[in-house]
Amino acid sequence: MGGCSNSFFVNDTTITSIEILKFASASPSPEEYSEQEGEVISVIKSKEEIKRIINTIERAGQESTESMNIALPNHLIIFKENKNVIFTLGYYPNINNGNDEFLDLDKDKIYKTNALNLIQK
């Protein structure tokens, strides 16, 4: 099974919630970002919604960020299994033409998806 898949999760990991955190500033400092010093504005617990979000991101187009000079996003998506943080992605909602972008600092990648509408306006 080849294809364009971005596998983020170990098969026995069950994501039980996704938290959406918003930073106070439009472009947080690296310290704010790494310490997740923001406000949780939404928590998604619906299994169907979690599955939809994960599937969309895993099938997303991707680009390397190694040669990009980009500001850190002012949202963070935190994937949790119960209270344990499994994975985090920076979140740029509605960037270009209604698309979302997700920043993976660990892999130096940016993932581009259709708009997932994870935050309320």
Side-chain angles (χ1 to χ4, degrees):
M1 288 195 253
C4 184
S5 177
N6 309 306
S7 185
F8 299 111
F9 308 101
V10 183
N11 289 339
D12 63 350
T13 301
T14 301
I15 301 302
T16 55
S17 68
I18 299 174
E19 293 181 357
I20 300 156
L21 184 138
K22 182 173 182 170
F23 295 100
S25 62
S27 182
S29 69
E31 293 77 25
E32 283 178 287
Y33 190 85
S34 66
E35 294 295 320
Q36 299 176 9
E37 294 176 5
E39 174 190 357
V40 174
I41 59 169
S42 181
V43 178
I44 299 165
K45 293 186 176 181
S46 160
K47 288 182 182 180
E48 293 80 20
E49 186 67 5
I50 290 169
K51 184 175 182 177
R52 179 184 77 88
I53 293 166
I54 291 171
N55 286 341
T56 300
I57 295 171
E58 286 187 334
R59 287 179 286 151
Q62 58 180 290
E63 291 181 23
S64 172
T65 59
E66 289 183 36
S67 61
M68 290 183 186
N69 185 9
I70 55 177
L72 290 172
N74 66 338
H75 290 86
L76 191 67
I77 307 299
I78 305 167
F79 297 87
K80 290 187 169 184
E81 182 177 38
N82 301 314
K83 294 189 187 259
N84 300 322
V85 174
I86 302 299
F87 189 70
T88 62
L89 288 174
Y91 178 44
Y92 303 94
N94 299 312
I95 290 295
N96 298 326
N97 303 320
N99 294 326
D100 290 345
E101 294 183 359
F102 296 87
L103 177 65
D104 185 342
L105 286 177
D106 294 334
K107 294 183 180 176
D108 291 323
K109 299 249 184 233
I110 199 155
Y111 305 101
K112 298 181 178 199
T113 68
N114 293 330
L116 290 174
N117 302 313
L118 299 181
I119 57 174
Q120 304 303 319
K121 298 210 182 241

